[in-house]
Amino acid sequence: MLQKLEELIVEFRSAIGEVDKKASLFDLKAEYLGKKGKLNLILKSLKDAAPEDRKELGIRSNNYKIEIQDSIDKKLAQLEIDEINEKLEKNWQDITLRDSVRDLGMNSAGYHPVTIIQREIEDIFLSMGFDILDGPHIEDEFHNFEALNIPATHPARDMQDTFWFKDMEHLLRTHTSTIQVRGMEAHKPPFKFVGPGKVFRSEALDASHEAVFHQLEGMMVGENISVSNLIFFMKTLLSEIFKKDVNVRLRPGFFPFVEPGFELDIECLICGGKGCSVCKQTGWVELLPCGMTHPNVLKAGGVDTDKYNGFAFGLGLDRLVMMRYGIDDIRHLHSGNLAFASQFKAY
Ligand code: PHE
């Protein structure tokens, strides 16, 4: 019987060495440790052994049982690790590898035309000593309306169809004039800055209206600022951007935050002034609303109106892009179409 036991353990040790799958390991376990397994068969015949050998046989078979169980546990752990490593090997990815197929939108494709124009205009104003400011897309009533001399009851609130949040206190800014307020809050006069960014209006979409578009706000506050200062900066801006003479006209415009207020229009460059869907058949495109900052606005921004005054303007970047590149529908700009967006080069 002792010999049978020794044979069994030798056989087991070599058998487990061969196992390379979990399923065969479980079979092996049943074969040796199962109720009808090899070890139990031997133990059953223990009663037939000579009484003086029984103790020794008992101890050995118990030790072997422990050894078998132990080797099976270890083998199982090893097989599980092998399995994981195999999966890792198969699904291996080199995360440092450059994706040569997908276009990242900034190398071969170039920049979006709105980005191109925005950066150019920033450079023009930087060269004239302006700062560049930013402001949040989600605003409160104060920064979008109140501080800009548009009280809750003012009809001008209807001019700007607003996306309100559920709390009815926050909104997606309807214009970048919010940056005027934030700029005044953060700076002591004299100062001058521009603030570009996205704005949001709940509008019916057509060739010249989008719900999301871009403006570039400008503000200058100092002593004795006049309309001629305003006109100088606007003219410089337009001649730098178009690099040619464009026909402009200045007409009175109403905005509660400026007084007097103006609309600076340029002759439509899509149709050459003949009339098309972009200029709504008028031959002119509203591009640059502007004016002298209303004293109420300066006061709300904490500016001393006895000493300082200023001007502000709000340039429509998408229309400017359309005029410069001859794009006849604003909806192209947000189409997400790379073939469209990749055609533009800086001037
Ligand atoms: N905020 C105005 C608009 O979105 C534009 C504007 C800016 C007008 C600054 C005057 C001065 O329509």
Side-chain angles (χ1 to χ4, degrees):
M1 200 179 152
L2 193 60
Q3 198 190 340
K4 269 194 189 161
L5 253 184
E6 290 306 318
E7 279 170 15
L8 174 121
I9 196 72
V10 171
E11 189 191 299
F12 171 79
R13 284 172 189 155
S14 95
I16 197 160
E18 309 275 298
V19 169
D20 61 355
K21 281 194 190 69
K22 272 204 226 166
S24 13
L25 185 67
F26 295 138
D27 288 347
L28 192 73
K29 185 176 178 181
E31 188 183 335
Y32 283 84
L33 298 182
K35 256 192 188 161
K36 293 183 181 153
K38 290 182 174 166
L39 192 66
N40 266 342
L41 276 180
I42 297 178
L43 287 178
K44 268 185 195 152
S45 54
L46 200 60
K47 55 181 185 334
D48 307 328
E52 63 274 23
D53 294 339
R54 278 189 203 159
K55 192 174 170 207
E56 173 66 15
L57 281 169
I59 293 173
R60 269 206 208 192
S61 49
N62 203 39
N63 284 347
Y64 289 155
K65 189 176 177 181
I66 293 172
E67 180 187 328
I68 293 174
Q69 183 65 57
D70 237 34
S71 324
I72 288 177
D73 289 348
K74 281 198 188 119
K75 187 81 185 186
L76 186 62
Q78 184 55 47
L79 287 176
E80 273 167 359
I81 290 173
D82 290 351
E83 223 171 64
I84 292 171
N85 282 338
E86 194 183 327
K87 269 190 198 155
L88 284 176
E89 188 64 35
K90 262 198 214 147
N91 301 331
W92 184 84
Q93 288 181 353
D94 181 356
I95 57 168
T96 64
L97 202 64
R98 289 285 301 269
D99 184 342
S100 56
V101 179
R102 195 175 308 145
D103 204 319
L104 297 176
M106 64 208 197
N107 34 34
S108 59
Y111 287 101
H112 191 279
V114 171
T115 306
I116 294 176
I117 282 232
Q118 180 187 317
R119 292 189 180 173
E120 257 176 62
I121 298 172
E122 285 174 4
D123 283 347
I124 294 168
F125 279 102
L126 277 173
S127 76
M128 297 193 287
F130 282 68
D131 283 335
I132 297 171
L133 301 187
D134 199 5
H137 290 165
I138 298 175
E139 270 293 6
D140 51 37
E141 243 184 303
F142 177 77
H143 288 88
N144 201 86
F145 294 123
E146 294 281 333
L148 289 162
N149 200 31
I150 320 175
T153 52
H154 201 288
R157 287 216 185 183
D158 294 338
M159 280 165 37
Q160 306 192 325
D161 296 281
T162 309
F163 288 115
W164 288 94
F165 282 78
K166 270 196 184 142
D167 65 6
M168 288 305 279
E169 281 173 17
H170 292 87
L171 50 93
L172 290 176
R173 70 177 176 200
T174 59
H175 51 183
T176 45
S177 298
T178 53
I179 301 176
Q180 289 186 33
V181 185
R182 296 197 171 270
M184 286 187 288
E185 285 169 345
H187 295 86
K188 289 220 169 322
F191 53 73
K192 47 189 190 298
F193 57 79
V194 291
K198 281 191 167 59
V199 298
F200 309 85
R201 290 192 202 166
S202 174
E203 307 215 59
L205 311 187
D206 61 29
S208 55
H209 292 91
E210 255 285 8
V212 183
F213 53 102
H214 301 81
Q215 292 184 331
L216 183 129
E217 198 77 9
M219 186 179 216
M220 178 172 190
V221 171
E223 289 179 51
N224 302 319
I225 306 286
S226 68
V227 174
S228 48
N229 294 127
L230 169 62
I231 291 173
F232 165 79
F233 283 109
M234 299 305 95
K235 273 193 170 166
T236 309
L237 170 65
L238 291 175
S239 63
E240 287 281 332
I241 292 174
F242 288 106
K243 306 266 189 267
K244 65 173 179 186
D245 280 340
V246 286
N247 292 331
V248 299
R249 70 176 187 191
L250 199 64
R251 56 190 171 91
F254 173 72
F255 302 94
F257 30 97
V258 284
E259 178 58 38
F262 307 104
E263 287 278 8
L264 196 151
D265 303 337
I266 67 166
E267 196 173 61
C268 183
L269 297 177
I270 304 287
C271 60
K274 287 197 211 80
C276 66
S277 64
V278 174
C279 60
K280 296 194 211 97
Q281 316 305 329
T282 64
W284 294 92
V285 177
E286 282 176 20
L287 196 65
L288 237 176
C290 53
M292 301 306 290
T293 304
H294 196 290
N296 287 353
V297 175
L298 293 171
K299 281 183 199 144
V303 173
D304 177 358
T305 50
D306 289 335
K307 200 163 171 206
Y308 300 108
N309 68 338
F311 68 71
F313 59 90
L315 181 64
L317 290 183
D318 308 73
R319 287 198 187 156
L320 192 60
V321 166
M322 293 167 75
M323 289 300 111
R324 189 162 87 171
Y325 294 107
I327 299 166
D328 61 3
D329 194 320
I330 192 171
R331 289 165 291 195
H332 287 308
L333 296 178
H334 287 275
S335 63
N337 179 355
L338 267 188
F340 167 82
S342 61
Q343 313 169 53
F344 301 94
K345 299 256 169 341
Y347 267 31

